[in-house]
Amino acid sequence: TTARLTLDVQGGSHSNNQTFVKFHEKFPSQPLILSECCSCMSQRKPHNASEQPDRSLPTCIAQQNSPSYLPDIAGSLGVWTLMDYFGEPAGVGTYGWPYVSCNFGQFDIAGFPKPHAFWYIANWLQLFPTSDSGRPPLPSQTVVHVLSLPPPGGVVGSKSTIEAITTAPFAELFLDGESQGVLATPFNALGEYMGMNWSSSSNGYKKNITVVGWDASSGGNMLAHHTLLVAGSNNATYKIKLTLDVPSISTGTGSCLLLDGRDTAMVRASIVDGSTGALVSSARNRITFRVVSGPGSGAGISNGDPASHEWMKSDSVNAFGGLARGLFHVSIDCTSEMRELAASIDMDSHWPTSSECEETNFVVEASSPGFMPTRISIPVSTNVVEDNVFSIAAKSTREEISYLEEFVG
């Protein structure tokens, strides 16, 4: 009460719905704000990981985010947190050593999205009409996303639970093309989209999981769908696939790196079944990255594993959930202001000549024992006007950002 009398606005940190409701009933004239939320735990773990937190949507994600929907709340200052970080390991079975990073992020420590991210896309973006002045200027579209990650070979001869989230009125699950039933999309008491679960038939599945969003329970129109392919169990067909996550139009980060000595690329290495392209979700192969040619150098590695003790400045890392991350920055500065003056002062560093500042892509290779090496080319630019960070950010709301829709992992 004393604190309330001295504050213009009362903040609530990591408080659930009822805390705000009860406070407002007691102090109806006191402005309220959600000062920080929501330490809700999830992980991008492979299918057979039994410990918590897992890939499911935790109940607290709605219980602690919902206060910002209540009519007496002035707003929210932010969600804790966008990405996992070192320190504060928490959760049943993941509290303390050997776990060294937290579970609170919508993205893991390697920058890969976790199930949390799709809840926010549904409820903090697509739930709002494009006419809402507070909505980011991104397209309005139907979300359908399978949250469960199939193991290699699928699930045969036993039942399994498949979880998904959608903004369509109804959703239907198909396993290897066989319908497992149509469900009405569930909402909580404040009208937020919730995850939905099917219990599969005892036949299981071997090839694919598909969820289709419909506008009616039967005879309706398909609004969107999402399919996950199932990797085979024959590892002789496995290979490394490289994807450029940054820079990429799909992430709103442009199409090239600026040769400023600092700009950094994020490369995703996936272990996939070469015959189908399906992610091998249980793969733990050690992947080594190197720059083959061009103006780039290694900046670090990661894999999203909260128990990983890998040195992040290394050039190799074990895959986690079939994925690994390599980071690479441009190794020359051709665009910074007053670099000629800096070059005259810093005589020990190499400052590129004009001939070295050609827009030549640099090439990155990923390799692993038993696999053929795979390469990817990273475009670079000296056009400061078009490719500086502010120009890229200004264009990011006008271009098609499709990363979350396309991501598998």
Side-chain angles (χ1 to χ4, degrees):
T1 303
T2 302
R4 182 192 66 80
L5 294 175
T6 60
L7 293 174
D8 293 325
V9 178
Q10 175 66 52
S13 179
H14 300 275
S15 299
N16 62 30
N17 299 348
Q18 288 305 308
T19 300
F20 286 88
V21 170
K22 291 177 180 178
F23 184 92
H24 181 68
E25 289 174 351
K26 190 174 182 180
F27 307 107
S29 62
Q30 180 75 32
L32 284 166
I33 194 166
L34 187 59
S35 54
E36 182 183 299
C37 83
C38 312
S39 293
C40 303
M41 296 175 288
S42 74
Q43 272 299 341
R44 189 188 53 80
K45 288 185 175 176
H47 176 87
N48 59 356
S50 59
E51 68 269 23
Q52 298 291 329
D54 58 17
R55 293 180 62 87
S56 299
L57 294 173
T59 56
C60 90
I61 195 171
Q63 292 170 348
Q64 291 190 20
N65 277 285
S66 298
S68 58
Y69 287 109
L70 298 176
D72 304 307
I73 304 297
S76 173
L77 296 183
V79 173
W80 193 264
T81 179
L82 179 64
M83 289 186 65
D84 288 348
Y85 52 88
F86 283 120
E88 294 193 295
V92 178
T94 57
Y95 186 87
W97 189 265
Y99 295 88
V100 293
S101 61
C102 78
N103 303 304
F104 306 138
Q106 283 74 68
F107 291 75
D108 67 22
I109 205 164
F112 298 127
K114 300 190 296 182
H116 274 176
F118 301 98
W119 188 95
Y120 282 102
I121 287 290
N123 288 295
W124 280 35
L125 179 63
Q126 300 303 341
L127 183 64
F128 294 92
T130 54
S131 59
D132 190 302
S133 60
R135 187 188 190 278
L138 294 170
S140 177
Q141 58 192 31
T142 302
V143 174
V144 178
H145 198 87
V146 180
L147 300 177
S148 302
L149 199 60
V155 176
V156 181
S158 62
K159 292 184 177 182
S160 62
T161 299
I162 305 296
E163 184 172 12
I165 189 168
T166 183
T167 58
F170 299 90
E172 184 172 8
L173 171 67
F174 293 87
L175 297 178
D176 292 348
E178 181 180 337
S179 176
Q180 305 297 307
V182 178
L183 299 178
T185 299
F187 295 87
N188 64 20
L190 289 173
E192 297 167 312
Y193 296 106
M194 299 170 61
M196 54 205 316
N197 294 276
W198 289 265
S199 180
S200 70
S201 68
S202 58
N203 294 331
Y205 58 93
K206 296 180 181 179
K207 298 179 180 179
N208 57 70
I209 302 172
T210 296
V211 172
V212 176
W214 300 100
D215 64 1
S217 59
S218 63
N221 298 306
M222 183 177 68
L223 302 178
H225 72 278
H226 183 221
T227 296
L228 290 181
L229 301 177
V230 179
S233 54
N234 179 11
N235 59 17
T237 64
Y238 296 172
K239 68 176 186 178
I240 302 172
K241 175 186 176 182
L242 295 182
T243 305
L244 187 59
D245 288 342
V246 176
S248 172
I249 299 300
S250 70
T251 54
T253 53
S255 57
C256 56
L257 296 182
L258 185 64
L259 287 175
D260 61 358
R262 300 176 299 277
D263 212 358
T264 301
M266 299 175 70
V267 173
R268 180 192 347 161
S270 309
I271 306 297
V272 301
D273 185 337
S275 61
T276 63
L279 178 72
V280 183
S281 61
S282 61
R284 298 282 298 183
N285 305 72
R286 189 159 192 83
I287 297 175
T288 299
F289 297 97
R290 73 182 183 101
V291 175
V292 178
S293 62
S297 60
I301 50 85
S302 191
N303 61 8
D305 184 354
S308 174
H309 301 163
E310 303 271 8
W311 182 47
M312 297 189 77
K313 289 293 185 180
S314 176
D315 61 358
S316 62
V317 64
N318 290 338
F320 177 67
L323 302 180
R325 173 73 77 199
L327 296 101
F328 306 89
H329 59 69
V330 294
S331 56
I332 58 175
D333 184 354
C334 299
T335 60
S336 293
E337 293 183 10
M338 303 185 73
R339 60 188 177 282
E340 292 83 4
L341 176 60
S344 67
I345 298 171
D346 183 6
M347 301 298 293
D348 294 328
S349 298
H350 172 70
W351 292 86
T353 62
S354 56
S355 62
E356 293 176 282
C357 288
E358 296 179 356
E359 295 183 352
T360 303
N361 298 356
F362 70 86
V363 178
V364 169
E365 179 182 272
S367 61
S368 183
F371 294 145
M372 290 290 293
T374 304
R375 295 183 177 183
I376 192 168
S377 181
I378 302 176
V380 299
S381 167
T382 57
N383 190 331
V384 178
V385 174
E386 289 294 323
D387 297 316
N388 73 79
V389 63
F390 296 107
S391 295
I392 297 301
K395 289 185 281 187
S396 66
T397 58
R398 299 196 298 271
E399 296 170 339
E400 184 178 358
I401 298 177
S402 56
Y403 176 68
L404 287 175
E405 288 82 1
E406 299 168 355
F407 177 81
V408 179

